[in-house]
Amino acid sequence: MIKIILAAGQGNRFKKTLPKGHSYITKSLVAFKGEPAIKRLLNQASLFNGETIVVLGHKAEIIKETINFEDTKIILNENFMNDSNLQSLQKAIKYVLEEGLNTSEGLLIIEADSYFQ
């Protein structure tokens, strides 16, 4: 199974929910149970066989400095400010098709701020 994690967005809705005076951090790095959301998601995705692809955009360099993306393909959506998640997904699917990756076991598409038990 190919796992695609969409983590390019700016988190504009998230920013609006922060209490006054609370500094902004990109959603991918918000801590859940003591670890960044995207790290938790990568650990959960690793339970499934197959390639993991992460699409980054907003705060990409900070995220790459914070998270070990070993064995993960990173795709950069440089136009994240003007794109929706669908354009990020399109970039990931384009990579899958260009590389001829085996999709017979399906694609798992996950938003970076998703939370699973």
Side-chain angles (χ1 to χ4, degrees), residues 19-55:
K20 275 192 170 182
H22 192 280
S23 60
Y24 170 73
I25 184 171
T26 186
K27 289 189 300 184
S28 297
L29 296 179
V30 170
F32 286 103
K33 295 190 176 186
E35 65 184 347
I38 195 163
K39 181 178 180 190
R40 180 177 168 80
L41 197 54
L42 285 166
N43 289 338
Q44 291 172 326
S46 72
L47 299 174
F48 299 96
N49 291 329
E51 185 163 354
T52 301
I53 301 165
V54 176
V55 183

Side-chain angles (χ1 to χ4, degrees), residues 7 19 21 31 48 75 84 89 116-117:
F48 299 96
I75 296 173
S84 69
L89 178 58
F116 300 98
Q117 292 183 346

Side-chain angles (χ1 to χ4, degrees), residues 1-3 47-51 96 101-109:
M1 175 181 299
I2 297 170
K3 297 135 324 181
L47 299 174
F48 299 96
N49 291 329
E51 185 163 354
V96 168
L101 300 181
N102 182 355
T103 60
S104 65
E105 292 184 20
L107 297 170
L108 176 62
I109 301 163

